[in-house]
Amino acid sequence: MFVSEELRKSNIAEYLLYMWQVEDTVRAAGLDPDRLYDAVISGSGRSDRECQAWKQWYADIADMMRREGKVEKGHLQVNAGVLDLLSDLHARLVGSGRMEEYRDAYYKALPFIVELRAKKHCPENNELQDCFEFMYGVWMLNLQKKTISGATAQAVDAISKMIAMLASYYRDDKEGRLDLD
């Protein structure tokens, strides 16, 4: 089973960040499945059948990126759809009288979100998209072994707690266990 399938079931927030990384990986390989095979798949220790399935998965992602005009930047519609679902749930959680814990996490993250939005000057983004883009950027810095400032670490802590709660509530909602009324 692909990592993406496991993450989609277990943690939708990690899934979204992973899929953004996949988009960037596909771009870095010039949308070429053979280059992806050489760079990512061949040394994975998987069986030939699994490697071919993985290569096909990357080829399918590359095809979607071409069709949707996301060759150089942007996110696939399927990933944007996940963000839309999470944004809708976020609004419902914040507006619910029963979700005080989530609202508290949101209000702790809010000053950092406001600061992010002021720096980006990107009004077409919703605040949750800004949060995910911030977390993705920090994730990329960590992969590059770069350090972050204390202020950034505080923002990461507050925003990641809110996003982790959102992912948990998303799973509860998908399983019919979330009651917002």
Side-chain angles (χ1 to χ4, degrees):
M1 181 174 276
F2 293 121
V3 171
S4 62
E5 293 170 356
E6 278 297 315
L7 285 174
R8 185 156 185 134
K9 292 176 188 173
S10 65
N11 188 318
I12 196 71
E14 288 181 10
Y15 165 81
L16 185 59
L17 294 171
Y18 174 78
M19 290 305 297
W20 285 3
Q21 183 184 29
V22 167
E23 292 168 343
D24 283 345
T25 301
V26 170
R27 284 185 191 106
L31 283 76
D32 181 344
D34 292 325
R35 284 179 59 193
L36 284 161
Y37 184 86
D38 293 340
V40 178
I41 301 167
S42 66
S44 68
R46 296 176 188 248
S47 71
D48 287 340
R49 195 175 114 225
E50 289 173 317
C51 286
Q52 289 306 313
W54 202 5
K55 181 179 179 182
Q56 184 59 53
W57 182 74
Y58 275 115
D60 292 344
I61 298 238
D63 286 343
M64 282 191 289
M65 292 172 74
R66 280 186 202 93
R67 282 192 312 269
E68 294 182 19
K70 305 297 181 187
V71 171
E72 293 182 23
K73 65 180 183 173
H75 300 296
L76 290 169
Q77 187 56 44
V78 67
N79 297 330
V82 169
L83 186 59
D84 288 345
L85 290 171
L86 290 172
S87 295
D88 177 63
L89 178 59
H90 167 73
R92 290 175 29 226
L93 290 166
V94 170
S96 172
R98 301 186 75 182
M99 296 294 147
E100 292 175 26
E101 185 180 10
Y102 183 80
R103 239 185 351 272
D104 288 346
Y106 169 65
Y107 289 133
K108 286 178 184 170
L110 189 56
F112 301 110
I113 295 169
V114 169
E115 186 177 345
L116 283 172
R117 292 179 64 78
K119 287 180 181 176
K120 288 191 66 174
H121 304 291
C122 220
E124 66 273 7
N125 286 3
N126 66 43
E127 63 187 14
L128 199 59
Q129 181 174 348
D130 287 338
C131 290
F132 272 94
E133 288 177 1
F134 170 72
M135 295 303 296
Y136 183 75
V138 170
W139 186 21
M140 292 298 106
L141 290 173
N142 285 336
L143 289 174
Q144 298 168 20
K145 308 257 189 261
K146 294 185 178 177
T147 58
I148 58 173
S149 70
T152 300
Q154 287 179 328
V156 166
D157 183 58
I159 292 171
S160 65
K161 284 179 181 172
M162 182 191 77
I163 288 176
M165 289 177 74
L166 178 63
S168 178
Y169 285 127
Y170 176 85
R171 188 174 51 249
D172 289 348
D173 193 34
K174 290 304 252 182
E175 294 173 0
R177 297 186 317 225
L178 185 63
D179 181 14
L180 297 176
D181 300 321

